[in-house]
Amino acid sequence: MARNRYFEDESFHETKQSKQALKRTFSFAKPYWKRFVLGIFFALIGMAAVLIRPLYDKLLVDELIPKGDIKVIVLFAAGLGLLMLVEAFFNTMRNRVLVHAGYDIVYDIRKKLFDHLQSLGFDYYDSRPAGKIFVRVTSYVNALASLL
């Protein structure tokens, strides 16, 4: 690569380097596997609450309302409200757990990248424009952050 030429980029071999980059990215997520399992657990409970609600509505409309027992209808309506609260709670917990895990992963990536950039010699920085390094680092990490 020519010295300080902004329009030239390093070569990127699609097959080998992309697989290595994917492995490296997942290696950052490995310490947080318990959070991901917890997030999946919360998601499953939230989805179960969503799937139960139509059956609950069917029972209320087809069975209980025609009978006209107001006390039972009010109890079922309260149960429906409770079911909606359970759904909202577990979906919120899923989002919180997974978003915090994503933030921690991005923090680890940024810290490792900063440490690596600090360890590079001056000749690396002299042979590349500062903007190219900055844009590459920020855009790649921001892309990973939005993915996570």
Side-chain angles (χ1 to χ4, degrees):
M1 183 170 101
R3 190 173 183 90
N4 288 330
R5 297 186 67 178
Y6 68 91
F7 53 85
E8 291 182 6
D9 209 357
E10 292 84 11
S11 64
F12 184 79
H13 302 290
E14 184 67 32
T15 56
K16 189 175 181 183
Q17 286 185 359
S18 63
K19 288 179 185 176
Q20 290 173 348
L22 195 59
K23 274 186 187 178
R24 200 174 313 126
T25 303
F26 284 128
S27 72
F28 284 104
K30 195 172 188 178
Y32 303 102
W33 70 270
K34 289 180 184 177
R35 289 191 198 178
F36 286 112
V37 169
L38 186 63
I40 290 170
F41 174 72
F42 287 151
L44 290 174
I45 293 175
M47 282 189 289
V50 168
L51 294 174
I52 290 172
R53 202 167 60 197
L55 296 174
Y56 205 82
D57 291 340
K58 179 186 180 296
L59 179 66
L60 184 67
V61 171
D62 292 344
E63 302 285 327
L64 299 176
I65 291 177
K67 289 181 182 174
D69 191 3
I70 298 298
K71 191 181 260 188
V72 176
I73 292 172
V74 169
L75 285 175
F76 259 71
L80 182 62
L82 183 65
L83 190 65
M84 293 170 123
L85 286 175
V86 166
E87 174 189 339
F89 173 76
F90 282 106
N91 285 334
T92 302
M93 291 305 295
R94 178 203 63 202
N95 287 338
R96 289 185 117 180
V97 167
L98 294 179
V99 165
H100 285 294
Y103 284 152
D104 290 342
I105 292 168
V106 170
Y107 173 79
D108 292 345
I109 290 171
R110 285 184 174 147
K111 184 170 177 9
K112 186 165 177 128
L113 186 59
F114 178 78
D115 292 341
H116 177 69
L117 289 172
Q118 291 295 313
S119 70
L120 295 174
F122 287 117
D123 58 337
Y124 176 81
Y125 295 104
D126 287 340
S127 65
R128 289 165 179 82
K132 181 184 278 190
I133 298 167
F134 177 75
V135 166
R136 178 169 287 172
V137 167
T138 56
S139 67
Y140 287 175
V141 171
N142 287 340
L144 281 173
S146 64
L147 172 72
L148 293 171

